[in-house]
Amino acid sequence: MVCVCNATYCDTLDPVVLPAPGTYVRYESSKAGKRLERSEGSFQRSLHAPVTLTCPPADLVLTVDTAQRYQRVKGFGGSITDAAAINVFSLPEPAQDHLLRSYFSEEGLEYNLVRLPMASCDFSLHAYTYDDVPYDYELAHFSLRDEDTKLKIPLLHRASAMSTRPLSLCASPWTSPTWLKTSESYVGKGTLKGQAGDKYHKTWANYFVRFLDEYAKHNVTFWAVTAENEPTAGLINNYPFQCLGFTAEQQRDFIARDLGPALANSSHSHVQLIILDDNRLHLPRWAKVVLEDEEAARYVHGIGIHWYLDFIGPIQDTVVPTHELFPDYFILATEASIGAYFWERDVILGCWERGNQYSHSILMNLNNFVVGWTDWNLALDLEGGPNWVKNYVDSPVIVDASEGIFYKQPMFYHMGHFSKFIPEGSQRVGLVASKTTNLEYTAFLRPDGAVTVVVLNRSLQNVTFGLADNVGLIAAVAPANSIQTYLWRRWQ
């Protein structure tokens, strides 16, 4: 199931309009071929009378409970890597616009989060940083690259211009300049030289400020930075691409002595600082080490998690205790992609199951205090690249530059069931099932007072159910292999 877009055609959505009181709107995507297909219906008034629905009767009822209030949402989005930007710009300009509108405009998914690597990552054509002149502790030679000024920044400006929602940008470094590292290399096992508080650490902290300075000159401001992408990667022997190792203790001390003060004393003191930005199996220990230190904790706002290795770090043992210990710090999913494991195929065009994996992860995260979910590359080529170490993965949008077309995959539509209908500031509320079910679901109260419910059916059977709120009851069916989003106004 894909949509093929080119310079003259791409599927679009209408802007979301709240339905009249007493009615609801439903959007459905399915393995059978629906792509965010919109339909409307009316609530049945009676909640308590015998439920006479289409056979068989739905003894499963999901009831919205707004007395149960949980986290507020930051948002949903993806990442503008060098590779993603190269792929967008490889298309004819009208097709580029279709691609960006598909993600950012009211006729698309209305993404509001964008993650950006600080300099290069594996999804670059080569390894580089913003100051590759050795021992330039003053950062006199710090400068943005063509990848920024000709690719990523123009893309951000175009995305921002199309978006009705303000974009929140988050920047993450993969590696420091090699002359600051014990390995003297972009790749492989290596940490910053010396220890927190010294010239190596101060220079690296100032590099963040310079990055924010230079982007600001191009009219791009950031909501957040992460202290390091996957800090544990740089602790692994022969790690194959850009990394910079930190233990939790090293990250704590770097933030307390160098990065925290550098940001606080700059013109970017409003920028939020996110720790970890690595697999959740490091929780809750990583958060305890950093946030139980008062000096470090005062500079930190949130915790970033990646979805790799989730299968050996259950959310109940990692994210939940972290939220319970540190409820004032948000937890945000900052990276996910399929095809990264050696046993997976890189790109599988039209794969519904990969969309299921995205939605399953998003629902699991949202139902356990996570405030948003960020996909990895916004667009890749048919191979799953470019990637200078051939670490190819899949993406919701796959570009075939030779044909001037791109494919919107099931992952794309699955993302839209959340991003388009759960805007920033929405608050998760209770959704109580009358009996156990294989359906996966979540409910949110939006800032405009409407309710959004997302229901995922990964099973091979249709599931009949009721959806109840103070407005009444919706008689519903979740088709096999489908995802639905429901939206309605409540009685005030």
Side-chain angles (χ1 to χ4, degrees), residues 82-228:
D82 292 352
I86 287 164
N87 279 303
V88 175
F89 281 118
S90 73
L91 290 163
E93 192 156 336
Q96 297 173 22
D97 271 341
H98 283 316
L99 195 161
L100 292 171
R101 293 187 75 78
S102 291
Y103 273 130
F104 294 102
S105 79
E106 272 196 315
E107 63 186 51
L109 304 191
E110 300 188 65
Y111 273 15
N112 73 317
L113 284 185
V114 180
R115 184 167 180 241
L116 215 70
M118 282 168 61
S120 67
C121 65
D122 54 323
F123 283 92
S124 298
L125 297 182
H126 60 110
Y128 62 89
T129 74
Y130 296 128
D131 193 345
D132 289 323
V133 177
Y135 317 118
D136 179 17
Y137 298 106
E138 300 301 308
L139 299 176
H141 298 278
F142 185 105
S143 72
L144 299 183
R145 306 284 288 244
D146 283 352
E147 284 87 347
D148 302 279
T149 56
K150 295 195 165 91
L151 294 172
K152 294 193 285 196
I153 290 170
L155 220 51
L156 279 170
H157 284 313
R158 284 168 69 178
S160 191
M162 291 172 177
S163 173
T164 52
R165 299 177 180 174
L167 299 183
S168 290
L169 311 185
C170 175
S172 302
W174 265 245
T175 179
S176 70
T178 56
W179 45 272
L180 290 172
K181 294 175 69 175
T182 54
S183 59
E184 306 242 329
S185 168
Y186 295 118
V187 304
K189 184 176 182 174
T191 60
L192 289 173
K193 294 175 180 172
Q195 55 266 313
D198 68 12
K199 69 176 178 180
Y200 305 106
H201 288 69
K202 291 266 177 272
T203 302
W204 181 229
N206 290 334
Y207 181 105
F208 281 73
V209 174
R210 285 298 306 278
F211 168 81
L212 295 168
D213 286 344
E214 295 303 315
Y215 262 71
K217 290 176 189 170
H218 291 271
N219 247 353
V220 177
T221 53
F222 285 81
W223 161 66
V225 295
T226 73
E228 169 62 30

Side-chain angles (χ1 to χ4, degrees), residues 450-465:
V451 171
T452 301
V453 170
V454 183
V455 177
L456 174 68
N457 181 4
R458 293 191 292 160
S459 80
L460 301 174
Q461 281 80 39
N462 297 353
V463 177
T464 307
F465 67 100

Side-chain angles (χ1 to χ4, degrees), residues 347-368:
V347 174
I348 307 178
L349 273 183
C351 178
W352 178 259
E353 179 48 35
R354 291 187 162 184
N356 269 345
Q357 286 178 51
Y358 268 37
S359 287
H360 171 69
S361 170
I362 295 168
L363 285 161
M364 181 70 78
N365 276 279
L366 291 177
N367 287 335
N368 288 282

Side-chain angles (χ1 to χ4, degrees), residues 16 18 66 69 71-76 112 165-166 418-429 443-452 487-490 492:
V16 176
L18 294 185
T66 56
R69 301 281 177 119
Q71 80 278 21
R72 288 192 186 275
V73 167
K74 178 61 194 173
F76 303 90
N112 73 317
R165 299 177 180 174
F418 300 92
S419 62
K420 191 169 182 67
F421 306 102
I422 308 174
E424 182 170 356
S426 298
Q427 186 172 26
R428 184 167 71 85
V429 294
F444 285 85
L445 196 54
R446 293 161 38 116
D448 60 13
V451 171
T452 301
L487 183 65
W488 68 83
R489 300 181 203 234
R490 309 193 76 226
Q492 293 310 319

Side-chain angles (χ1 to χ4, degrees), residues 269 325 364 430:
S269 54
L325 284 166
M364 181 70 78

Side-chain angles (χ1 to χ4, degrees), residues 156-472:
L156 279 170
H157 284 313
R158 284 168 69 178
S160 191
M162 291 172 177
S163 173
T164 52
R165 299 177 180 174
L167 299 183
S168 290
L169 311 185
C170 175
S172 302
W174 265 245
T175 179
S176 70
T178 56
W179 45 272
L180 290 172
K181 294 175 69 175
T182 54
S183 59
E184 306 242 329
S185 168
Y186 295 118
V187 304
K189 184 176 182 174
T191 60
L192 289 173
K193 294 175 180 172
Q195 55 266 313
D198 68 12
K199 69 176 178 180
Y200 305 106
H201 288 69
K202 291 266 177 272
T203 302
W204 181 229
N206 290 334
Y207 181 105
F208 281 73
V209 174
R210 285 298 306 278
F211 168 81
L212 295 168
D213 286 344
E214 295 303 315
Y215 262 71
K217 290 176 189 170
H218 291 271
N219 247 353
V220 177
T221 53
F222 285 81
W223 161 66
V225 295
T226 73
E228 169 62 30
N229 173 72
E230 297 188 354
T232 61
L235 306 176
I236 298 169
N237 281 322
N238 304 312
Y239 195 78
F241 55 86
Q242 297 95 313
C243 57
L244 180 62
F246 288 85
T247 63
E249 290 77 9
Q250 287 168 327
Q251 182 163 94
R252 172 195 68 200
D253 297 344
F254 172 57
I255 288 169
R257 301 194 59 181
D258 305 295
L259 182 56
L263 290 170
N265 295 323
S266 75
S267 58
H268 312 289
S269 54
H270 62 281
V271 175
Q272 313 238 313
L273 178 57
I274 297 173
I275 60 166
L276 190 57
D277 198 21
D278 203 333
N279 300 328
R280 72 183 182 204
L281 61 86
H282 298 290
L283 294 174
R285 185 188 172 273
W286 194 283
K288 283 172 137 169
V289 169
V290 178
L291 299 178
E292 284 174 358
D293 180 275
E294 281 179 25
E295 278 306 293
R298 55 196 278 234
Y299 296 115
V300 175
H301 300 86
I303 302 159
I305 51 174
H306 293 190
W307 88 336
Y308 314 104
L309 305 181
D310 273 4
F311 52 83
I312 54 172
I315 202 159
Q316 263 62 40
D317 303 335
T318 53
V319 171
V320 173
T322 304
H323 171 75
E324 287 167 352
L325 284 166
F326 306 105
D328 297 338
Y329 295 84
F330 66 79
I331 304 173
L332 175 69
T334 48
E335 188 184 312
S337 65
I338 302 184
Y341 302 126
F342 67 84
W343 62 82
E344 294 178 313
R345 276 174 56 198
D346 301 331
V347 174
I348 307 178
L349 273 183
C351 178
W352 178 259
E353 179 48 35
R354 291 187 162 184
N356 269 345
Q357 286 178 51
Y358 268 37
S359 287
H360 171 69
S361 170
I362 295 168
L363 285 161
M364 181 70 78
N365 276 279
L366 291 177
N367 287 335
N368 288 282
F369 308 106
V370 175
V371 301
W373 202 91
T374 321
D375 181 35
W376 188 208
N377 304 273
L378 283 181
L380 292 172
D381 63 23
L382 290 161
E383 198 170 30
N387 182 296
W388 74 278
V389 291
K390 299 187 164 44
N391 179 31
Y392 302 129
V393 301
D394 215 334
S395 168
V397 168
I398 296 293
V399 171
D400 181 351
S402 67
E403 299 287 330
I405 62 175
F406 63 93
Y407 300 95
K408 286 153 74 164
Q409 302 216 72
M411 289 178 281
F412 174 89
Y413 297 98
H414 277 260
M415 286 293 300
H417 277 273
F418 300 92
S419 62
K420 191 169 182 67
F421 306 102
I422 308 174
E424 182 170 356
S426 298
Q427 186 172 26
R428 184 167 71 85
V429 294
L431 186 58
V432 183
S434 60
K435 64 172 199 176
T436 55
T437 171
N438 287 330
L439 294 182
E440 298 163 63
Y441 46 83
T442 194
F444 285 85
L445 196 54
R446 293 161 38 116
D448 60 13
V451 171
T452 301
V453 170
V454 183
V455 177
L456 174 68
N457 181 4
R458 293 191 292 160
S459 80
L460 301 174
Q461 281 80 39
N462 297 353
V463 177
T464 307
F465 67 100
L467 195 47
D469 192 13
N470 65 6
V471 190

